[in-house]
Amino acid sequence: GFLLRRAHQRHQTIFAQHAVQGLTPMQFSTLFRLASAREGVSQNALGRLVAMDAATTKGVVARLQARGLIQTEPDPHDKRRYTLRATAAGRAVLAEVLPEMEAINEASLAPLSARERAQFARLLRKLV
């Protein structure tokens, strides 16, 4: 656990050193998932997709909506609920920050060889 926390801290520190359009890691993950979805996503499903609890999801969604990066719309299949979708502005921000996010990941994994990176990713997927 200690080593996982240290690895996470290292990645967070590298992330904080970059200006990523003012997005937090959770906001980026949320925007990325919504922009990748073919249809709107319910807030509940979004939380599961990005591994956030309901309260955190609600706050992240509110901040992204306030910036005009995501929007809510009625669910076409269930009139009782709303779905979330990335806006054109949200997709534009995402396109702008994706190269920077790749650089952040590259810096986080720099001490590992290509083979070690692949193994590390496989092991992390097995853990979660």
Side-chain angles (χ1 to χ4, degrees):
F2 174 75
L3 291 175
L4 283 173
R5 184 179 60 77
R6 292 286 312 271
H8 180 259
Q9 284 176 318
R10 172 181 161 71
H11 181 73
Q12 293 293 91
T13 299
I14 293 167
F15 186 96
Q17 293 169 346
H18 291 77
V20 207
Q21 284 286 334
L23 295 173
T24 66
M26 295 309 293
Q27 289 171 347
F28 169 79
S29 296
T30 299
L31 187 57
F32 183 82
R33 291 294 180 196
L34 289 176
S36 301
R38 294 178 196 206
E39 297 181 351
V41 178
S42 73
Q43 191 163 305
N44 191 315
L46 175 64
R48 288 191 305 274
L49 283 171
V50 293
M52 289 189 291
D53 60 67
T56 303
T57 303
K58 183 178 179 179
V60 168
V61 164
R63 286 185 284 284
L64 290 172
Q65 277 184 301
R67 291 183 60 187
L69 302 179
I70 65 173
Q71 65 187 24
T72 59
E73 49 194 37
D75 186 325
H77 308 294
D78 184 345
K79 300 299 181 199
R80 298 170 296 172
R81 71 179 190 167
Y82 287 83
T83 59
L84 303 165
R85 179 182 303 278
T87 62
R91 287 188 297 279
V93 164
L94 188 61
E96 185 179 323
V97 302
L98 274 174
E100 198 165 355
M101 293 304 297
E102 290 172 5
I104 291 168
N105 285 337
E106 179 67 29
S108 293
L109 298 173
L112 304 177
S113 69
R115 184 171 182 226
E116 289 169 329
R117 290 174 190 203
Q119 181 180 22
F120 184 62
R122 275 193 307 279
L123 293 171
L124 285 174
R125 283 187 201 92
K126 191 173 183 177
L127 282 175
V128 297

